[in-house]
Amino acid sequence: MATLVIPLSGWGRYPVQSCEVERPERYADLHSEAASVIARGQGRSYGDAALNENRRVLLTGRVNRLLEFDVEKGVVRAEAGATLAEILEVIVPKGWFLPVTPGTKFVSLGGCVAADVHGKNHHHDGSFGDHVLGIDLILADGSRVTCSPAENAELFWATVGGMGLTGIIGEVALKLIPIQSPRMMVQHHAAANLEQLFQHLQNPALDDSYTVAWIDSLASGLQLGRGIAMCGHHAAVQELPAGFDHALAAKPGRSRQVPFDFPAWVLSPLSIGAFNALYYRREGKKQQPFLAGYDPYFYPLDAIGQWNRLYGKRGFVQYQCVIPDNFAFDGIRALLQELSGSRRPSFLAVLKRFGAQGRGLLSFPMAGYTLALDLPIRSEKLLAGHPDDGLFALLDKLDEIVLRHGGRVYLAKDARLSAESFRAMYPRYSEWLKIKNAVDPQNRFSSSLARRLEIGGNTI
Ligand SMILES: Cc1cc2nc3c(=O)[nH]c(=O)nc-3n(C[C@H](O)[C@H](O)[C@H](O)COP(=O)(O)OP(=O)(O)OC[C@H]3O[C@@H](n4cnc5c(N)ncnc54)[C@H](O)[C@@H]3O)c2cc1C
C-alpha cells in the first residue's frame, strides 16, 4: 500500500513530526506489517500519542462503516475509524445516546477505546471502556482476535487505555443509553472560590447525571479557583415545551472554521482575564434550569472548527491531571496557585469529579478530581528543541505537585512527561507490560509517546 511522508501533529500542534502515513480504505487492509506502527483515528489527542516519528502511522478514518445498530437493545457495532459524530447522527433520532462522551464528537471509536476516554458523567458511569461489549483487535503477528470483558479479558483491559500499543482496534461494539429527547436540562451554580466550587461538586442536591466546572484560571488570592459548576441531564418528555419538534432537534449543529493562525498576543493575560470576568458574570447568572441542545452542551468547542488555530502556529499544550479524593482540594489549590503565580493564562480550565478507577491497566481516571488546562507555547526556542520558554519548567513543577498528592497525568493530552514520572503515576504498568510482551514481543506497536515514556521497551 502507498505511503507518504508528511509532517503530523496532535490537536495541540506540538510536537510536529515527520511520519510515514498509510491510509487503508477497508477493514481488510488494516495490517501490522511495518517494523514500527501506530494506529491514528482523528488525531484529537493533543500531543504525540498518535505520532510515530520517521515510522509508520496508519490512518483509520476511512475504515468507518456502521456495521449494526440494534434499535431495540441499543447496541451499535462499527469499524473503529467511525467518529462519534457519525454514530450520533444515526442513534439520536432513534432515542439513544453515547454512554460516555469526551468534549468533542470528532474522535474515532478506536481513539475512545485506546484512551479509555471519560466524560462529564464519570462519577456515575465510569469511562468509555466500561460500556464496550467487545472489540476486534489486529495483533502484531497479523492475527485478529475478539476481546471483551468475558473473552480474552486480560488483553481487553490492556487495550482499553493502552494507547494503541497492544494492536490495531478494527471494530467496536458499544452499549448505548436511552434518551427521551435530544435536549439537555442544564443548571449553573456560580462559586466565588475553590472551596465553594468543591462544595458544589460534592453536594448531592446540586449533582446531576453530568457535572463539570469551568474555572477562571487567572483568579488569585481570595478568588482563587472561582468558577461555575455546570450540571445537566437528558431532558425528559415532561420537561420539554409543548409542540417540541424532536426530528429538528436531533439534527447536529453546524460549525464555523477559524480561517488562519491567530497571532500569539491575541490570547494574552489581559484578553483572557477580560473574557473570564465576562464569562463568569454571564454564565454564573443562569441559576434556573434551562434547555440546551446536546451539541452545545457536550461539544461547545466543536462549534468552531480548527479552534486550535486560535493559539497561533506554535501551538499549545494541554495539561490534564487527576488528584485522588483525599488530597484533591490541597492538590488542585497548589496547582492553581502555581499557575496563577506564573501569569501564564490557561484559556480553558476545567475541573471534573471522577468516580472509581476503572479496569483498564493504563486508564487515566481514578476516584478524585481532574483538572485540565490549555497552555499556549510562546517561544520559538521550545520548538527549536531548546529546553523551553519556561512552559515546560512550569509543567515539571505541576508534575511534582501531582506526584506529591498521589495523582497522574493523562497520556492522551500529554506531550512532555518524563518516563520516570510516568512509572510513578501508573503503578499497573508492569502488569500491562507482561501482556504487551506476550502479544507483541518485538514491540512493533510503538509511538512517539511510547518511546518518550519508555512504554513497551525502548528498542526500536
Ligand atoms: C476539544 C477536545 C476535547 C476533549 N475532551 C476530552 C474529554 O472530555 N475526555 C477525554 O477522555 N478525552 C478528551 N479529549 C481527548 C480525546 O478524546 C482523546 O485523545 C481520543 O483518544 C481522541 O480520539 P482520536 O480518534 O482523535 O484518536 P487519536 O488522537 O488519533 O489517537 C489517540 C490514541 O488512540 C490510539 N488509536 C486511535 N485509533 C486506534 C485504533 N483503531 N486502534 C488502536 N489504537 C488507536 C492512537 O494510537 C493513540 O494512542 C478531548 C480532545 C479534544 C480535542
Side-chain angles (χ1 to χ4, degrees), residues 38-39 41-45 49 103 108 111 114 117-118 163-164 169 352 410:
I38 195 71
Q42 291 293 311
R44 245 57 176 196
S45 51
S108 68
V117 298
H118 55 270
M163 303 308 288
I169 301 162
K352 280 191 257 206
Y410 190 12

Side-chain angles (χ1 to χ4, degrees), residues 127-205:
S127 49
F128 201 82
D130 292 314
H131 307 271
V132 172
L133 300 173
I135 56 171
D136 263 22
L137 191 65
I138 299 160
L139 299 180
D141 64 5
S143 61
R144 291 165 192 244
V145 290
T146 303
C147 307
S148 73
E151 191 179 357
N152 296 311
E154 279 199 331
L155 185 53
F156 180 76
W157 293 116
T159 302
V160 169
M163 303 308 288
L165 301 171
T166 55
I168 303 162
I169 301 162
E171 282 178 26
V172 178
L174 186 68
K175 180 87 183 86
L176 306 170
I177 57 163
I179 51 171
Q180 291 184 17
S181 86
R183 285 280 188 266
M184 304 298 299
M185 185 56 86
V186 188
Q187 193 167 6
H188 289 177
H189 308 280
N193 53 40
L194 190 64
E195 206 164 2
Q196 236 182 56
L197 196 59
F198 263 76
Q199 281 164 7
H200 284 356
L201 295 179
Q202 285 162 351
N203 184 348

Side-chain angles (χ1 to χ4, degrees), residues 48-75:
D48 52 2
L51 301 184
N52 206 9
E53 191 167 25
N54 299 324
R55 297 163 180 87
R56 192 72 55 89
V57 173
L58 219 55
L59 307 180
T60 62
R62 292 205 177 137
V63 187
N64 64 344
R65 284 180 310 156
L66 180 66
L67 302 168
E68 206 180 318
F69 175 29
D70 186 329
V71 185
E72 297 301 312
K73 293 195 180 120
V75 172

Side-chain angles (χ1 to χ4, degrees), residues 9-12 30 37-51 57-61 63 79-84 100-120 127-128 136-138 159 161-172 212 298-302 307-308 316 318 320 348 350 352 354 364-365 372 374 410-413 445-447 449:
S9 73
W11 188 247
L30 291 175
V37 61
I38 195 71
R40 179 177 170 102
Q42 291 293 311
R44 245 57 176 196
S45 51
Y46 281 73
D48 52 2
L51 301 184
V57 173
L58 219 55
L59 307 180
T60 62
V63 187
E79 291 175 342
T83 62
L84 298 187
V100 166
T101 178
T104 169
K105 61 181 177 177
F106 300 123
V107 286
S108 68
L109 283 176
C112 289
V113 175
D116 194 16
V117 298
H118 55 270
K120 299 171 183 172
S127 49
F128 201 82
D136 263 22
L137 191 65
I138 299 160
T159 302
M163 303 308 288
L165 301 171
T166 55
I168 303 162
I169 301 162
E171 282 178 26
V172 178
V212 68
F298 286 108
Y299 314 116
L301 290 168
D302 286 351
W307 62 262
N308 51 351
F316 66 107
Q318 175 155 119
Q320 185 171 359
L348 208 91
V350 174
K352 280 191 257 206
F354 274 166
F364 166 65
D374 277 355
Y410 190 12
L411 300 184
K413 308 285 178 83
F445 293 110
S446 187
S447 61
L449 171 129

